[in-house]
Amino acid sequence: SQKIEQNSEALNIQEGKTATLTCNYTNYSPAYLQWYRQDPGRGPVFLLLIRENEKEKRKERLKVTFDTTLKQSLFHITASQPADSATYLCVPNFGNEKLTFGTGTRLTIIP
Amino acid sequence: GAVVSQHPSWVICKSGTSVKIECRSLDFQATTMFWYRQFPKQSLMLMATSNEGSKATYEQGVEKDKFLINHASLTLSTLTVTSAHPEDSSFYICSARNPGLGAGNEQFFGPGTRLTVL
């Protein structure tokens, strides 16, 4: 069965450094991957979507890559700030409208 | 753009009562709305998918008679938790989608509703 894994439950990064979060999947490649941010007690906020035929997507300090050979997506936040601290969710889609969420990676930016 | 609101943001009710949660897309028409539930430190679990004017499609294990969903317009969906019990206490989040927005596949989430059943 299909499985999506984010590299760690929690990640601590020094302010100003680049935070890199990893999302790995097995078996079938998703048609696209979405990355969301969720703060405690709030709904997820959409950040970026990358399709399987795209290598990279950028939005301000955010960058997402999609490597179908490695079956991996990387999510980077450059020049990280304490306000970037949140849980980040890698959400695959296999061609239908449903999204399947994992528990994500809790990122803490240390001042 | 693409703002989704929920009301109320939190509610406390007695066991056995019913609670209605509203989800509105404020600046776009939502062809599809989704209802999720999230327990502490767990992932969002999809409860049901609803399309305007048609019956909701419930995920396996979700009781449709207990969680009533109405999607009467392209901007409003409601979730009614009937005869609520303490185990229904959770964080309920809705999302809305319109294929004509953005990349077409993302969902825009509401801020969530914290339900506590005493």
Side-chain angles (χ1 to χ4, degrees):
Chain A
S1 61
Q2 190 55 267
K3 198 174 175 186
I4 290 280
E5 284 183 347
Q6 290 190 238
N7 59 327
S8 56
E9 279 190 22
L11 187 63
N12 296 328
I13 298 292
Q14 202 70 38
E15 181 178 4
K17 302 286 186 190
T18 297
T20 299
L21 284 66
T22 305
C23 178
N24 296 298
Y25 59 91
T26 57
N27 298 332
Y28 305 108
S29 179
Y32 53 91
L33 275 165
Q34 302 184 42
W35 284 87
Y36 287 81
R37 166 189 175 137
Q38 187 176 22
D39 291 278
R42 305 288 294 173
V45 174
F46 171 77
L47 297 174
L48 282 167
L49 179 153
I50 188 164
R51 300 181 192 281
E52 61 177 335
N53 61 350
E54 297 175 318
K55 295 284 187 201
E56 182 180 296
K57 261 298 179 54
R58 289 177 186 262
K59 180 182 174 183
E60 298 172 354
R61 292 185 295 112
L62 309 181
K63 184 177 86 170
V64 172
T65 62
F66 196 172
D67 189 325
T68 54
T69 303
L70 293 177
K71 296 186 177 174
Q72 183 181 81
S73 175
L74 299 179
F75 178 83
H76 306 273
I77 305 175
T78 58
S80 58
Q81 305 165 1
D84 295 326
S85 299
T87 295
Y88 290 85
L89 305 160
C90 164
V91 186
N93 185 284
F94 297 95
N96 59 42
E97 61 183 357
K98 287 188 191 179
L99 300 180
T100 302
F101 288 86
T103 51
T105 297
R106 191 174 66 254
L107 176 66
T108 303
I109 305 300
I110 303 165
Chain B
V3 178
V4 176
S5 70
Q6 278 184 243
H7 178 81
S9 54
W10 59 270
V11 57
I12 300 172
C13 69
K14 290 184 179 178
S15 189
T17 60
S18 293
V19 173
K20 181 187 280 189
I21 302 170
E22 288 187 352
C23 176
R24 291 181 188 272
S25 55
L26 298 184
D27 51 2
F28 68 102
Q29 293 187 325
T31 48
T32 309
M33 283 184 165
F34 304 84
W35 286 96
Y36 295 82
R37 183 167 49 180
Q38 187 175 33
F39 293 104
K41 297 194 187 299
Q42 294 188 23
S43 59
L44 274 77
M45 294 300 295
L46 180 65
M47 298 174 68
T49 303
S50 78
N51 292 292
E52 184 261 342
S54 59
K55 287 186 181 178
T57 302
Y58 289 81
E59 294 300 300
Q60 197 169 9
V62 177
E63 299 173 57
K64 63 179 186 204
D65 295 329
K66 181 168 182 62
F67 299 99
L68 301 178
I69 292 172
N70 184 289
H71 191 165
S73 78
L74 284 171
T75 59
L76 173 64
S77 176
T78 60
L79 167 68
T80 301
V81 183
T82 62
S83 186
H85 288 98
E87 58 265 29
D88 298 323
S89 298
S90 188
F91 191 50
Y92 291 86
I93 310 171
C94 72
S95 71
R97 177 176 173 265
N98 183 315
L101 270 180
N105 298 303
E106 59 267 48
Q107 293 181 20
F108 300 97
F109 286 82
T113 297
R114 172 78 55 196
L115 170 63
T116 302
V117 185
L118 302 176

